[in-house]
Amino acid sequence: MTIVLEAYIREKREKKDILLMTHIVLGYPSMEASMEIVAQMVAAGVDLMELQIPFSEPMADGPVILKANQKALEAGVRVADCFKFAKEATKRFEIPFLFMTYTNILFKYGMEAFAGDMARAGIKGAIVPDLPPEEGDAYLNAMAEQGCHPVYIFSPTTTDERMELLSGKGSGLMYCMARKGVTGKETTFSHDLDTYLDRCKKATDLPLAVGFGVKDKEDVAYLKGKADIAVIGSQTIRIVNEQGIDAVGPFIRNLQ
Amino acid sequence: MTIVLEAYIREKREKKDILLMTHIVLGYPSMEASMEIVAQMVAAGVDLMELQIPFSEPMADGPVILKANQKALEAGVRVADCFKFAKEATKRFEIPFLFMTYTNILFKYGMEAFAGDMARAGIKGAIVPDLPPEEGDAYLNAMAEQGCHPVYIFSPTTTDERMELLSGKGSGLMYCMARKGVTGKETTFSHDLDTYLDRCKKATDLPLAVGFGVKDKEDVAYLKGKADIAVIGSQTIRIVNEQGIDAVGPFIRNLQ
Amino acid sequence: MDKRGYYGEFGGAFIPEILSATFDDLVAHFNGIKNDPLFWDSYVDLMSTYSCRATPLTYAENLTNHFGGAKIYIKREDLNHTGAHKANNVMGQGLLVKKMGKTRVIAETGAGQHGVATATMAAKFGFDCTIYMGEVDVKRQRPNVFWMEQMGATVIPVTDGTRILKDAINEAFRDWVTNMETTHYVLGTACGPHPFPEMVSYFQSIIGKEARKQILEREGKLPARVYACVGGGSNAMGIFSGFLPDAGVTCVGVEAAGRGLATGEHASRLCTDDASVGVAQGYKTFFLQDDDGQMKETHSIAAGLDYVGVSPILSQLHVEKKARFESATDEEVIAALKLTMQKEGIIPALESAHAFAGAFKEVGNLPPDQCIIINQSGRGDKDIFTVADAFDDPQWKAFIKEKAGDYRA
Amino acid sequence: MDKRGYYGEFGGAFIPEILSATFDDLVAHFNGIKNDPLFWDSYVDLMSTYSCRATPLTYAENLTNHFGGAKIYIKREDLNHTGAHKANNVMGQGLLVKKMGKTRVIAETGAGQHGVATATMAAKFGFDCTIYMGEVDVKRQRPNVFWMEQMGATVIPVTDGTRILKDAINEAFRDWVTNMETTHYVLGTACGPHPFPEMVSYFQSIIGKEARKQILEREGKLPARVYACVGGGSNAMGIFSGFLPDAGVTCVGVEAAGRGLATGEHASRLCTDDASVGVAQGYKTFFLQDDDGQMKETHSIAAGLDYVGVSPILSQLHVEKKARFESATDEEVIAALKLTMQKEGIIPALESAHAFAGAFKEVGNLPPDQCIIINQSGRGDKDIFTVADAFDDPQWKAFIKEKAGDYRA
Ligand SMILES: Cc1ncc(COP(=O)(O)O)c(C=O)c1O
Ligand SMILES: Cc1ncc(COP(=O)(O)O)c(C=O)c1O
C-alpha cells in the first residue's frame, strides 16, 4: 500500500501540470466549518489535503496556523474528535488525506494505536515536523505496519546526504519547504528556489510537494514543471478569517 | 567683666529661689514678634534670655526649635539682622542676654569679629552646643578678649573629670542638660536628676542653669534649691505656636 | 545528527528539519569546547573578571540557630553579575557563539533574568539581541524588560498560548528557524533539544564545582543535602552535578507548588503524578499535560519556575531515585523569603526562595553536626513588584499610585 | 577626647557634649581594631563569605575601543552584596558594634544604598535598626525603603530642612544623643566627626588594596588615573587610598554638576568656588553654604551625591593637590550610563556613572599603553525609577499607570 499515494499523484499529474494540496486546522473555526471547508476544497478541485490535529505548542507554525491551533483547542477539540472527523471526511470525499501534527499527539496516543486508528480512519499518511527520522523508529515501525505514509520534509538547509536519508525513510511524497522559517510568511520565488528544487529532485524519486508561502495563482504557476504539488497552507485560513468559509471554493478555483 | 554675669545671677538669687532663663529663635515667627516676645518675657520677670541665631543644621535641637530655625531662615533672617536685634534688645531691656547658635555661624563670621560685634551689641555670652572645648581655642581666645562668657554644657553622661575641664573653660554659668536627647522632649524629674545635679554642683563654682524639658510651674518648683536657673526653651515656642504671642507673658508669670 | 543526548528515556532532539544542520554545527562546536582544555579556563577567567566567581558560600548562622538542625550554607549565585546563575550559562554560550562566528543571539525569558543576562552578554560581545518573553511575564517583570531594552536588546512580548515561558520558547524557535545562519538561540535552562540540556548543565556545573570545594574547605566534609529550586532545572543541575557522585549527599530539587498541589494550580512535574512523559519544545521529559498531550496552564508566584517541562536529566535522576523532588507553595515561599531577609539580610529571588522553603521544612530534623547547602540561584530585588504585591504592602501601592499620578499630569 | 582627626585644617569633632563619652568609646574601640592584626582578617573573611570580595576588576574592552585611548578597567563594587561599596563600611562597623556590645544601629541614607546595607547588616548581626531618610529621597528611592523595611528596619522619613541626605544625618544625630548607650550610629560616608572619616576610609580601603593588586597582576603596571564619584567621599577614599602614595597615579574625584555648575543647581564642593570652608554635622570641610554659613540646597540626579559637605580627607587632598576634582552634569551622566550599558552590559548606579562620565571625557587623550581604573561604586538597577524618568521611557510609565490602576481597583 505504500505506493498507493505515489501512484495516485503520478496518475493525477498526467492530467494536471501541478496538483494542489491544502491544509486546514481541524476544529477551526469549528468542526462543522472544517467539514464545510473540506467539501468546498474538494469541489473546487483540490487533489490532496493535510488535516492538522491541533497542538498547544505548534513550534514550526507561524502566527496564522498557531492561532488556529489555539482557537481550536479553546473550543475543546480533542484528538478523538479529529479521528472522527477523519473517518467521515475520508468516507465522503475521494481525495487522499494526510494528518499533520506534532510528535506529542502521537506519543501520548501511543505510536501503534495512532497509526492503527489512522489507517482505520482512511488517512493515508502523516507529516510530523518535530519528529526527525533519528527520533522516529517507533513511529516508522508503526506507520509501516499500518501501511501509512510517513511524510518527511526537505528544507533549503538540508544537505544532499541528508536528503537521501530522508528520502529513504519517507514515502508517499516529499514535502519541500520553499524557504526557511515558519508557515505563513512571504516567500520569494526565485532562482535559489529552482536550484534547491533541482537538488530535491535529484535526491528522491518521491513526488515533490512545495509549501511555505504559496498563496496565489502566480506562485502556483511558478511551481509548474518544478514540483508535483503546490501546498496552500496559511493562505486558506486567512481567506476564511477575512472572507468567510464560502470564499474558499472560489479562491481554490482561481489558483489553477 | 567675666564675673559680671555671675555677679548678676548671685545678686538676683538672693531675692529669688530660682531664676528663669528663656530661649527664643530670632526671627520666629518674625523679627517684630521676637522683640514683642522679649518685651513680654522681661515684663513677666524673666531673669536672663538666650537668643538663638537660626542655623540651617541645628543638630542638637528637637522638632520645635528645629522648625522655628527653618521658618526664620525661610523668612530671610540673616546673621546681621540678629546682631541688630541684639543691639536693640540690650538697649531696651535690663536683663542679660546670651547668644545661642552653632559653630558655623561664628566660624563664617570670623571668631574675632563675632565676639567683637557680640560685645558691642551688649550680649553677655554665648552657648554653642557643637563647639566643645577641644575645638574651641580660637573661640575661647576671642571671647576672652571681648570679655564675653563662653557658656559650656554639662550632660548626664559627662564624667566628673570632664566636668572640671568644662568648668575651667567656661564662665558666666554652667548649662546642665536635664537629660539626654535633644531639646523639646519630656523630661522626668527624678532622683537620678538630683544625683546628677549634685555632681554638677561639686564640679563647678559657676551658677547652674538646668534646661531640656522644663516646661511648667511644677518643673520649676522641683528645681528650686537644686539649681540657680530654670531654662524654658521649646515650651515658649509651643505657647506662641498654639496660643499666640500674647500668651507668653501670662505663661511666664504662672511659672514663678 | 548523531548523538541525541538521551538520559534513560528522556531527552533527544525533536527538531524541525530546517534546524538539523544548525544543531549538527552546534553539537560539533560544543564537543569542540568540551574537549579543549583551554576553553574551561577561558570561561572561568571571564566569569571571575566580568562576574564575581567564585561566588561565596555563606554560612547562615541565624537561620541555623533558628531551626536548630544541620548547619545551613547558602551558595550565593545571587551575587553574579545580573543577579542570578543565568549569567553562567549565558556567558558560556556567548563564548561559543563567538567561536561559531554568529552575530545575533535570541533567547526566551520567563522571570526576565535570563533575558537580562542574555542582553548583557550580547552587549559585551557585540551581538544583536532579541528576547522573547510571554506577555504575562513582561507585565510582572517590567523592570527587567526596561534593562534589557536599555542594553540594546529588542524585547518581543509573546501574545500566543498561555503567554508565559513555554510560549516564549516556541517563539524563539520560530525566529531561529528563520535566521539560523546568523543567529544562535541561547536557551536559558537545561531543557530543549540536545545538546542544550547537556550544554547548559556543563556551564552551570561551575556552581557545583565551587560549592564542593568550598564546603570541604569550610566544614571538612560533604553536605548531607543540597537544595535547589527547579524551573527548567539549570541551577539544580549546576549545583547537583558537584555532588551526584557522592553517595552520602542527597540532592533535593524543589518545585513550585503554586496555590497548592491539590488545586492543580502549580508547576510541579516531578514530585506529583500530575505530569506525564511527553515530547514538546524539542525534547522528551515529564510535562504537565492532558491526556491528549496538550500542555496545561501552570502557576507559580515565581515566573522562572512557571514552566510545563523540566530538564530531561532531572527526569532521569528522578526515575532512578538519584535525586529527590519536593515542592513549596507560594505561601511557604513568601514565608521563607521573609525569614531569610530578617535573619540573614539576604534577599533570595522568588525562584530561589523555593529552595529555602524546601530546606526549612527538613533542616530541623538533621543533626547539628551535619550541614546542608541551599543554592540561592538569584537575588530578589528584581521581584519587587511581585514581592510587594505578595506582601500586600500599602506604602508601595501608595508610591505607585503617586508615581502614576505624576505621569498622568 | 584626644585625637581629633585633623587633615590639614579639615576634620575635627564638633560634637554636642552629650556625645563626648560615646565618641571616646568609639575612638578607643576603633583604635583597638586598627591595632589588632586579626581584626582585618576577620573583616576580609566576612566580606569574602557574605559579600563577594575580592570584587572583580573588569576590563572594558568595548569602551576602550570606543574611546581609543588608555585601557579602561572597572572595579566592580556593584557586585557586593546589597549592590554597592556601602556594604564594606557597614559590615566593618557591624563587627565594631559587636565588640562595643551595643544592640541597636541607626543610619542616615540618601540613595538608600547605605540604608539597605545597614538594614542588611543589622539583620545579619541581630541588631535593632532605624534608618533616617530625607522625605525627598524616600520618594525617589522607594524600592530601597521597601527592602529595608522587609529586613526588619524602621525607616523614618525626615521632613525637616531640605529633606535629603544632610537632614537625615542631623536626624540620626538627634536619635543618637538620646540613645547612645544602646545605639551606634553607622555613618555611611567618610564625613562627620572624627573618627568617622578615618574609620569609613579604613573599611573602604579594601577596594584600593584589591584594585592595586589586581591591576598589577593584569597589566604589570599601575594605572595612569583612578576615577571615583564623590558624594561624601567614601568610595573615592576607598579606591584612592590604594594609589595615593604612587606619584605616577592621578586620583580623580568626580562630583555632581547637576543641571550645570553655572546654574548653581549642583553638588560640587571641591571643583568649584561655590563652596567654602565651614563647620557642620560635626566636622570642618568645604560646604555649599551662603555667606552666613547657612547650607544651600544642592541638586544631583544621583541621590547619593546630593550632599552639601565632603570628606575632610578629600578636602585636604584637594588643597594639597594630591587629588584632582572634576564634575559631570546629570545629562553627561545619563549619556555615560547608556553607553556603558550598551557597550559592556554593565549598569552603573547613577552615582557611579559620574565616575564613568568623568573618565570618558579624558580617557581618549591618554595613550593606549596606559590604563585607568573607574570605581563602579554600585549597581544601577536600584535606580530604575530615576533612570526610567531620566530616559523618559513611555513603556515604563504605561506600566506604572497600569499597576496603579490595579491597586485602585
Ligand atoms: C533566579 C532564578 N532561579 C531559578 C530559575 C529557574 O530556572 P532553572 O531551573 O533553570 O534554574 C530562574 C529562571 O528564570 C531564575 O531566574
Ligand atoms: C552607589 C553609590 N555610590 C556613591 C555614593 C556616594 O557616597 P560616597 O561618596 O561616600 O562613596 C553613594 C551614596 O549613597 C552610592 O549609593
Side-chain angles (χ1 to χ4, degrees):
Chain A
M1 179 181 155
T2 30
I3 54 154
V4 170
L5 188 55
E6 287 176 54
Y8 168 84
I9 295 166
R10 301 223 186 280
E11 202 185 295
K12 274 253 162 173
R13 274 280 276 111
E14 286 178 12
K15 282 166 267 169
K16 282 169 96 170
D17 281 350
I18 192 152
L19 309 190
L20 280 186
M21 178 158 86
T22 53
H23 168 279
I24 64 167
V25 174
L26 293 179
Y28 179 79
S30 69
M31 276 297 184
E32 299 69 44
S34 291
M35 193 59 83
E36 173 57 25
I37 296 169
V38 174
Q40 287 214 18
M41 284 178 168
V42 174
V46 155
D47 304 291
L48 304 90
M49 274 195 75
E50 286 178 71
L51 306 178
Q52 179 163 0
I53 305 176
F55 180 49
S56 58
E57 320 299 314
M59 185 205 246
D61 283 299
V64 173
I65 296 181
L66 166 61
K67 286 219 172 56
N69 272 265
Q70 267 174 246
K71 287 274 155 61
L73 290 175
E74 278 165 23
V77 170
R78 306 291 315 239
V79 174
D81 301 328
C82 298
F83 275 106
K84 238 177 73 191
F85 184 99
K87 198 171 270 172
E88 198 183 321
T90 54
K91 207 159 39 178
R92 275 182 59 185
F93 308 106
E94 290 285 288
I95 65 163
F97 290 91
L98 305 175
F99 268 158
M100 185 264 162
T101 193
Y102 288 83
T103 308
N104 204 41
I105 299 297
L106 285 74
F107 180 82
K108 278 296 280 189
Y109 204 92
M111 286 298 169
E112 290 183 15
F114 193 93
D117 283 356
M118 223 175 101
R120 277 184 286 282
I123 297 289
K124 296 284 176 287
I127 305 176
V128 189
D130 66 343
L131 193 54
E134 288 85 349
E135 304 287 356
D137 286 351
Y139 167 69
L140 288 170
N141 288 339
M143 294 290 277
E145 212 153 282
Q146 299 295 339
C148 289
H149 296 287
V151 174
Y152 279 106
I153 299 169
F154 284 171
S155 87
T157 63
T158 310
T159 59
D160 293 347
E161 296 74 24
R162 192 167 167 83
M163 281 187 178
E164 271 170 43
L165 167 82
L166 292 167
S167 173
K169 298 277 184 181
S171 72
L173 59 85
M174 190 55 68
Y175 192 113
C176 307
M177 289 172 64
R179 53 157 173 76
K180 298 175 295 169
V182 289
T183 54
K185 305 255 165 93
E186 284 280 318
T187 298
T188 3
F189 292 88
S190 67
H191 180 69
D192 280 358
L193 180 64
D194 299 355
T195 325
Y196 159 60
L197 290 179
D198 279 348
R199 283 212 298 127
C200 296
K201 217 169 279 172
K202 258 184 226 134
T204 188
D205 293 330
L206 293 172
L208 299 187
V210 177
F212 276 56
V214 182
K215 62 181 184 315
D216 56 24
K217 197 183 175 106
E218 211 176 321
D219 296 347
V220 174
Y222 186 93
L223 291 175
K224 281 183 192 167
K226 293 167 186 151
D228 300 294
I229 305 168
V231 186
I232 315 291
S234 308
Q235 192 59 15
T236 35
I237 299 187
R238 270 196 210 102
I239 298 285
V240 171
N241 288 348
E242 288 163 16
Q243 304 170 38
I245 294 173
D246 290 338
V248 172
F251 166 69
I252 298 290
R253 260 177 222 108
N254 183 48
L255 290 174
Q256 293 154 323
Chain B
M1 180 177 157
T2 30
I3 54 154
V4 171
L5 188 55
E6 287 175 55
Y8 168 84
I9 294 167
R10 303 221 187 281
E11 202 185 297
K12 274 254 164 171
R13 274 281 275 113
E14 286 178 13
K15 283 168 269 171
K16 282 170 97 172
D17 282 348
I18 193 152
L19 309 190
L20 280 186
M21 177 157 87
T22 53
H23 168 279
I24 64 165
V25 175
L26 293 179
Y28 179 78
S30 69
M31 277 297 185
E32 298 71 42
S34 291
M35 193 58 83
E36 174 56 24
I37 295 169
V38 174
Q40 287 213 19
M41 285 179 169
V42 175
V46 155
D47 306 290
L48 303 91
M49 273 195 75
E50 288 178 70
L51 306 179
Q52 179 163 357
I53 305 177
F55 180 47
S56 57
E57 320 300 314
M59 186 204 245
D61 283 300
V64 173
I65 296 182
L66 166 61
K67 286 220 171 53
N69 272 266
Q70 267 175 245
K71 286 272 154 63
L73 290 175
E74 277 164 25
V77 170
R78 306 290 317 237
V79 174
D81 301 328
C82 298
F83 276 107
K84 240 177 71 192
F85 183 100
K87 198 170 272 170
E88 198 182 322
T90 53
K91 208 160 39 189
R92 276 182 58 185
F93 308 107
E94 290 286 289
I95 64 164
F97 290 91
L98 305 175
F99 269 158
M100 185 262 163
T101 193
Y102 288 83
T103 307
N104 204 42
I105 299 296
L106 286 74
F107 180 81
K108 279 296 280 187
Y109 204 93
M111 286 297 169
E112 292 185 13
F114 192 93
D117 283 356
M118 222 176 102
R120 278 185 285 283
I123 297 289
K124 296 283 175 285
I127 305 176
V128 189
D130 65 342
L131 192 56
E134 289 85 348
E135 304 288 355
D137 285 351
Y139 166 69
L140 289 170
N141 288 340
M143 294 290 276
E145 212 152 281
Q146 300 295 338
C148 289
H149 297 287
V151 174
Y152 279 105
I153 299 169
F154 284 172
S155 86
T157 63
T158 310
T159 59
D160 293 347
E161 295 76 25
R162 190 165 170 84
M163 280 187 178
E164 272 171 40
L165 167 83
L166 292 167
S167 173
K169 298 279 185 180
S171 72
L173 58 84
M174 189 55 69
Y175 192 113
C176 307
M177 289 171 63
R179 54 155 172 78
K180 298 175 295 169
V182 289
T183 54
K185 305 258 164 92
E186 283 280 319
T187 299
T188 5
F189 293 88
S190 66
H191 178 70
D192 281 358
L193 180 64
D194 298 355
T195 325
Y196 160 59
L197 290 180
D198 279 349
R199 282 212 298 126
C200 295
K201 218 171 277 172
K202 257 183 227 134
T204 187
D205 294 330
L206 293 171
L208 299 186
V210 177
F212 277 55
V214 182
K215 61 177 186 319
D216 56 24
K217 198 184 175 102
E218 211 176 321
D219 296 347
V220 174
Y222 186 92
L223 291 174
K224 281 184 192 166
K226 293 167 184 150
D228 301 293
I229 305 167
V231 186
I232 315 291
S234 308
Q235 192 59 15
T236 37
I237 299 186
R238 270 197 211 100
I239 298 285
V240 171
N241 288 348
E242 288 163 17
Q243 303 171 38
I245 294 171
D246 290 339
V248 172
F251 166 69
I252 299 290
R253 259 178 221 107
N254 182 50
L255 289 174
Q256 293 152 323
Chain C
M1 279 197 315
D2 330 284
K3 293 209 324 188
R4 310 291 295 189
Y6 268 94
Y7 312 91
E9 69 165 311
F10 308 106
F14 296 81
I15 50 173
E17 182 52 35
I18 187 126
L19 287 179
S20 192
T22 307
F23 271 86
D24 281 349
D25 187 49
L26 181 59
V27 168
H29 274 95
F30 175 54
N31 288 336
I33 61 165
K34 262 196 309 181
N35 298 325
D36 174 1
L38 294 182
F39 179 84
W40 187 262
D41 292 347
S42 73
Y43 169 62
V44 171
D45 183 61
L46 174 65
M47 293 311 289
S48 53
T49 58
Y50 186 63
S51 188
C52 73
R53 305 220 68 95
T55 58
L57 186 70
T58 301
Y59 173 46
E61 187 175 1
N62 301 329
L63 285 172
T64 300
N65 293 339
H66 181 77
F67 290 106
K71 289 173 86 170
I72 301 174
Y73 281 87
I74 302 172
K75 179 63 175 164
R76 301 292 301 283
E77 292 303 303
D78 60 306
L79 291 175
N80 263 304
H81 182 50
T82 75
H85 72 294
K86 298 286 176 188
N88 304 327
N89 169 39
V90 156
M91 290 300 152
Q93 291 199 42
L95 290 173
L96 196 65
V97 173
K98 253 174 60 176
K99 275 198 194 291
M100 293 192 293
K102 295 190 171 181
T103 57
R104 177 172 176 264
V105 290
I106 58 175
E108 88 292 348
T109 196
Q113 281 295 331
H114 177 58
V116 170
T118 304
T120 298
M121 177 273 276
K124 167 139 188 91
F125 285 108
F127 304 140
D128 288 333
C129 181
T130 300
I131 304 292
Y132 293 94
M133 189 167 185
E135 198 184 31
V136 171
D137 292 329
V138 166
K139 289 205 177 143
R140 47 183 172 175
Q141 305 286 347
R142 183 81 224 175
N144 280 333
V145 175
F146 178 79
W147 296 119
M148 287 181 242
E149 289 178 344
Q150 294 313 325
M151 280 182 294
T154 304
V155 180
I156 301 188
V158 177
T159 55
D160 293 307
T162 43
R163 295 170 294 136
I164 60 172
L165 183 56
K166 74 172 177 59
D167 310 288
I169 294 181
N170 290 332
E171 209 53 39
F173 271 113
R174 291 188 187 107
D175 180 316
W176 207 13
V177 298
T178 316
N179 305 299
M180 61 277 179
E181 285 97 345
T182 57
T183 300
H184 174 67
Y185 175 14
V186 183
L187 220 154
T189 189
C191 290
H194 179 71
F196 283 109
E198 182 188 349
M199 185 166 72
V200 175
S201 300
Y202 173 74
F203 291 128
Q204 294 293 3
S205 71
I206 196 167
I207 305 174
K209 280 195 176 61
E210 289 174 5
R212 191 172 201 285
K213 188 160 163 275
Q214 288 168 324
I215 196 77
L216 285 173
E217 276 166 17
R218 300 279 281 281
E219 287 289 313
K221 62 164 169 262
L222 290 171
R225 297 186 193 158
V226 175
Y227 294 84
C229 68
V230 183
S234 69
N235 88 86
M237 276 308 302
I239 192 151
F240 290 177
S241 64
F243 301 95
L244 280 172
D246 301 304
V249 183
T250 307
C251 293
V252 185
V254 185
E255 299 185 279
R259 306 205 167 90
L261 294 181
T263 66
E265 298 184 56
H266 63 77
S268 295
R269 298 125 313 177
L270 298 177
C271 71
T272 61
D273 292 332
D274 289 5
S276 59
V277 180
V279 176
Q281 310 210 305
Y283 69 115
K284 187 187 287 185
T285 196
F286 281 98
F287 285 101
L288 286 163
Q289 55 182 332
D290 69 13
D291 293 344
D292 271 3
Q294 311 295 357
M295 297 300 142
K296 285 190 193 164
E297 281 214 32
T298 52
H299 167 80
S300 169
I301 196 171
L305 304 188
D306 210 348
Y307 180 53
V308 287
V310 65
S311 176
I313 314 182
L314 291 180
S315 285
Q316 177 63 5
L317 291 174
H318 169 58
V319 165
E320 293 187 311
K321 296 203 181 341
K322 289 196 178 147
R324 174 155 64 81
F325 292 87
E326 305 288 347
S327 68
T329 62
D330 291 353
E331 220 168 276
E332 289 166 339
V333 162
I334 290 289
L337 176 56
K338 283 193 179 174
L339 189 71
T340 306
M341 285 194 285
Q342 287 174 12
K343 290 278 169 198
E344 299 292 344
I346 285 174
I347 311 177
L350 285 167
E351 288 80 9
S352 322
H354 283 74
F356 285 76
F360 292 171
K361 291 187 205 175
E362 306 183 347
V363 69
N365 302 328
L366 293 173
D369 63 342
Q370 297 196 349
C371 63
I372 66 164
I373 302 179
I374 302 171
N375 196 32
Q376 184 177 353
S377 54
R379 60 175 151 87
D381 38 348
K382 72 169 171 57
D383 296 328
I384 187 158
F385 285 92
T386 322
V387 174
D389 285 355
F391 290 9
D392 206 24
D393 187 65
Q395 284 179 291
W396 175 258
K397 289 184 183 175
F399 163 66
I400 293 297
K401 284 189 225 166
E402 191 178 329
K403 211 64 200 151
D406 293 350
Y407 290 155
R408 271 190 203 94
Chain D
M1 277 199 314
D2 330 284
K3 292 209 321 183
R4 309 291 294 191
Y6 268 95
Y7 313 92
E9 70 164 311
F10 308 105
F14 296 80
I15 49 172
E17 182 52 34
I18 187 128
L19 287 178
S20 192
T22 307
F23 270 86
D24 282 349
D25 186 51
L26 181 59
V27 169
H29 274 96
F30 175 54
N31 288 336
I33 62 164
K34 263 196 308 183
N35 298 325
D36 174 1
L38 294 182
F39 179 84
W40 186 262
D41 293 347
S42 74
Y43 169 63
V44 171
D45 184 60
L46 174 65
M47 293 311 289
S48 53
T49 57
Y50 186 62
S51 187
C52 74
R53 303 221 71 94
T55 59
L57 185 69
T58 301
Y59 173 46
E61 187 175 1
N62 302 328
L63 285 172
T64 300
N65 293 338
H66 181 76
F67 289 106
K71 287 171 87 170
I72 301 174
Y73 282 88
I74 302 172
K75 178 64 174 163
R76 300 292 300 283
E77 293 303 302
D78 59 306
L79 291 175
N80 263 303
H81 182 50
T82 76
H85 71 293
K86 298 285 176 189
N88 304 327
N89 168 40
V90 156
M91 291 299 152
Q93 291 200 41
L95 290 173
L96 196 65
V97 173
K98 253 174 60 176
K99 276 197 193 291
M100 293 193 292
K102 296 191 170 180
T103 56
R104 177 174 177 263
V105 290
I106 57 175
E108 87 293 348
T109 195
Q113 280 296 330
H114 177 58
V116 169
T118 305
T120 298
M121 177 274 276
K124 168 141 187 89
F125 285 107
F127 303 141
D128 288 333
C129 181
T130 300
I131 304 293
Y132 293 93
M133 188 167 185
E135 197 184 32
V136 171
D137 292 330
V138 167
K139 287 204 178 145
R140 45 183 172 175
Q141 306 285 348
R142 184 79 224 175
N144 280 333
V145 175
F146 179 79
W147 296 119
M148 287 181 241
E149 290 179 343
Q150 294 313 324
M151 280 183 294
T154 305
V155 180
I156 300 188
V158 177
T159 55
D160 294 308
T162 43
R163 295 169 295 136
I164 61 172
L165 183 56
K166 73 172 177 59
D167 310 287
I169 294 180
N170 290 334
E171 210 52 38
F173 271 113
R174 291 187 187 108
D175 180 316
W176 207 14
V177 298
T178 317
N179 304 298
M180 61 277 180
E181 286 98 344
T182 59
T183 300
H184 174 68
Y185 174 15
V186 183
L187 220 154
T189 189
C191 290
H194 179 72
F196 283 109
E198 181 188 348
M199 185 166 72
V200 175
S201 300
Y202 174 74
F203 292 128
Q204 294 294 1
S205 71
I206 196 167
I207 305 174
K209 280 194 176 62
E210 288 174 4
R212 190 171 201 286
K213 187 158 162 276
Q214 288 167 324
I215 196 77
L216 286 174
E217 276 166 16
R218 300 279 281 280
E219 287 289 311
K221 62 165 169 261
L222 290 170
R225 297 185 193 160
V226 174
Y227 295 85
C229 67
V230 183
S234 69
N235 88 87
M237 277 308 302
I239 192 153
F240 290 177
S241 64
F243 301 96
L244 279 172
D246 301 304
V249 182
T250 307
C251 292
V252 185
V254 185
E255 298 184 282
R259 305 204 168 92
L261 293 180
T263 66
E265 298 186 57
H266 63 76
S268 295
R269 299 125 313 177
L270 298 178
C271 71
T272 61
D273 292 332
D274 290 5
S276 59
V277 180
V279 176
Q281 311 211 306
Y283 68 114
K284 187 187 287 186
T285 195
F286 282 97
F287 285 101
L288 286 163
Q289 54 181 334
D290 69 13
D291 293 344
D292 271 3
Q294 312 295 359
M295 297 301 141
K296 284 191 192 163
E297 281 214 32
T298 52
H299 167 81
S300 169
I301 196 170
L305 304 187
D306 209 349
Y307 180 52
V308 287
V310 65
S311 176
I313 314 183
L314 291 181
S315 285
Q316 177 63 4
L317 290 175
H318 169 59
V319 165
E320 293 186 312
K321 295 204 183 339
K322 290 196 177 149
R324 174 155 64 82
F325 293 87
E326 306 288 347
S327 69
T329 63
D330 292 352
E331 220 169 277
E332 289 167 339
V333 161
I334 290 288
L337 176 57
K338 283 193 179 174
L339 189 70
T340 306
M341 284 195 285
Q342 286 174 12
K343 289 279 170 200
E344 300 292 343
I346 285 173
I347 310 177
L350 285 166
E351 289 80 9
S352 322
H354 284 73
F356 285 77
F360 292 172
K361 290 188 205 176
E362 306 183 348
V363 68
N365 302 327
L366 292 173
D369 64 341
Q370 297 195 350
C371 63
I372 65 165
I373 301 178
I374 302 171
N375 196 31
Q376 184 177 352
S377 53
R379 60 176 152 86
D381 38 349
K382 71 169 170 58
D383 297 327
I384 187 158
F385 285 91
T386 324
V387 174
D389 285 354
F391 289 10
D392 205 25
D393 186 64
Q395 284 179 291
W396 175 258
K397 291 183 181 175
F399 164 66
I400 293 296
K401 284 189 225 166
E402 193 179 327
K403 212 60 200 157
D406 294 349
Y407 290 155
R408 271 189 203 95

